[in-house]
Amino acid sequence: EKMASTRGGEVAPRPKGMKPPPVIPKSQAEAHRLHIESLMRNPDKPVKLPEPRKEKGPRDAPDFVKWVPGSSAGAGSGEFHVYRGLRTKEYARQEHMNKLAEKEVKDQEFTERRQAHQNEAAARTAKKRAKRQKKKQSKKLKKDESKEATPAPTSTRESSSESEEEKEDDGIAPSFVMGGK
């Protein structure tokens, strides 16, 4: 059973049929959080995503307009308004076509720029990869050469006693003495 809080701070049981009070979001982020929480309560339920809006353009101009004299002499008082309406629609149609053409040009420029950036990035990556491989290869060659150059010790007793004598002769005092002061 869910609990509801009261003014005094004590928690009283909520009646079964009563829903909790609605939460009013104080910001857009909180509204988004609440929406996501409501979706996550039932993850099996499919989420409906809205379709993107279609671009609305002006209606197509009529194929044939019967005798619109415009603002010329001899036209009646009502003809000018018909002419003005058709002229406004035509200007809107031409403006829409110009915007579409400009958008196509900008999209084309963007795709070309993006492709150029991707090619440059791929070239830089390939160059750095080649440099890493070259460095790795030279490191491996040096390691192989150093293994070949150092001879293997012939007898372990002789070499170990010589190395102990050399350590004592170096004049380096040990950092600690066991059992001493």
Side-chain angles (χ1 to χ4, degrees), residues 108-122:
Q108 182 66 28
E109 289 174 357
F110 172 74
T111 53
E112 289 172 2
R113 250 191 346 258
R114 186 175 62 182
Q115 187 64 35
H117 287 302
Q118 286 176 346
N119 291 343
E120 288 173 12

Side-chain angles (χ1 to χ4, degrees), residues 176-181:
F176 67 94
V177 178
M178 291 187 74
K181 294 181 184 178

Side-chain angles (χ1 to χ4, degrees), residues 126-154:
K127 185 178 177 183
K128 288 181 181 180
R129 182 184 304 116
K131 187 176 179 182
R132 282 193 311 270
Q133 293 294 335
K134 186 178 177 183
K135 189 175 180 182
K136 185 177 178 182
Q137 191 69 22
S138 66
K139 199 174 187 181
K140 188 176 181 184
L141 286 174
K142 284 183 183 178
K143 186 177 180 182
D144 291 344
E145 288 174 2
S146 66
K147 281 184 179 179
E148 292 172 4
T150 57
T154 55

Side-chain angles (χ1 to χ4, degrees), residues 35-127:
H35 180 66
I36 290 175
E37 284 177 0
S38 70
L39 290 174
M40 293 308 288
R41 279 188 210 120
N42 188 2
D44 298 333
K45 183 179 176 183
V47 178
K48 292 181 183 177
L49 296 176
E51 293 292 323
R53 290 186 180 184
K54 295 180 182 176
E55 281 190 31
K56 289 187 176 179
R59 287 189 285 180
D60 292 335
D63 293 334
F64 182 72
V65 179
K66 294 183 181 179
W67 190 71
V68 179
S71 59
S72 61
S77 60
E79 300 300 322
F80 175 72
H81 301 294
V82 174
Y83 162 75
R84 187 174 58 186
L86 289 173
R87 182 185 64 186
T88 305
K89 285 180 183 176
E90 180 62 19
Y91 285 163
R93 188 180 70 83
Q94 287 177 358
E95 184 180 346
H96 180 70
M97 287 175 22
N98 290 340
K99 283 183 181 178
L100 286 178
E102 187 177 322
K103 183 180 178 191
E104 283 183 23
V105 169
K106 285 183 178 180
D107 286 347
Q108 182 66 28
E109 289 174 357
F110 172 74
T111 53
E112 289 172 2
R113 250 191 346 258
R114 186 175 62 182
Q115 187 64 35
H117 287 302
Q118 286 176 346
N119 291 343
E120 288 173 12
R124 283 194 307 267
T125 305
K127 185 178 177 183

